[in-house]
Amino acid sequence: AQSVTQPDIHITVSEGASLELRCNYSYGATPYLFWYVQSPGQGLQLLLKYFSGDTLVQGIKGFEAEFKRSQSSFNLRKPSVHWSDAAEYFCAVGARGNNAGNMLTFGGGTRLMVKP
Amino acid sequence: EPEVTQTPSHQVTQMGQEVILRCVPISNHLYFYWYRQILGQKVEFLVSFYNNEISEKSEIFDDQFSVERPDGSNFTLKIRSTKLEDSAMYFCASSVLQLEAFFGQGTRLTVV
């Protein structure tokens, strides 16, 4: 069974500082990988996805993530954080080849706070 | 931009009552899903629906739950007899085959 671990429950960064949110997954093959963001009272918005090919993927709002097979990781990065980035971030893995399309398994989330 | 819409945004119900949560997926999508997020916990998969039938369900999705696509646009989740532990945010999502799922804003269900 697949699983996702986000080791950091809370992270606080200063506005303008760089950001890296960690995600480790467990899956028997190369999975589909996703990062979603949830602002307070909002739904889940897709930031970026990895299916295959280039292991560095670009997403919306200036985010990027790098798939590292050897480390089973898919860390999310942003070079300069804005106050509006404060939200909860979820890493998710989707299994390939099943009939359920991309049934997702989510990590526990990382809550990002941004200091002025 | 097309989006998944869910109604209502918040529903309060008494324990033992039936509730129906409604969703309008993105029109050209083929797979439909329900997820839930109990306060302070992970987002959990409940069920996926494809070609007018359940294609996968989790152990959470017991006989108290059912899904339906009653017409060409709506996708519903019914909980027959709600329990206190059903209180959660319920998210509907849709996708085109094995591409990214688009989520709705969620329905917060409170069982009292």
Side-chain angles (χ1 to χ4, degrees), chain A residues 4 32 34 36 38 41-44 46 49 51 88 90 95-104 106-108, chain B residues 31 33 35 37 41-45 48 50 55-56 89 91 95 97-106:
Chain A
V4 179
Y32 296 135
F34 306 85
Y36 284 86
Q38 184 181 31
Q42 302 295 310
L44 296 162
L46 179 68
K49 61 188 183 288
F51 289 163
E88 187 140 24
F90 294 94
R96 293 175 184 263
N98 61 29
N99 292 325
N102 54 337
M103 179 185 77
L104 298 172
F106 283 83
Chain B
Y31 287 87
Y33 311 87
Y35 287 80
Q37 184 182 28
Q41 298 186 24
K42 291 186 180 187
V43 177
E44 302 171 290
F45 170 77
S48 63
Y50 170 70
S55 49
E56 192 76 37
M89 181 74 89
F91 291 106
S95 70
L97 297 178
Q98 292 194 346
L99 296 176
E100 64 266 28
F102 291 84
F103 283 78
Q105 299 287 80

Side-chain angles (χ1 to χ4, degrees), chain A residues 9-20:
Chain A
I9 298 174
H10 296 281
I11 282 185
T12 301
V13 299
S14 297
E15 190 167 18
S18 64
L19 171 71
E20 182 168 28

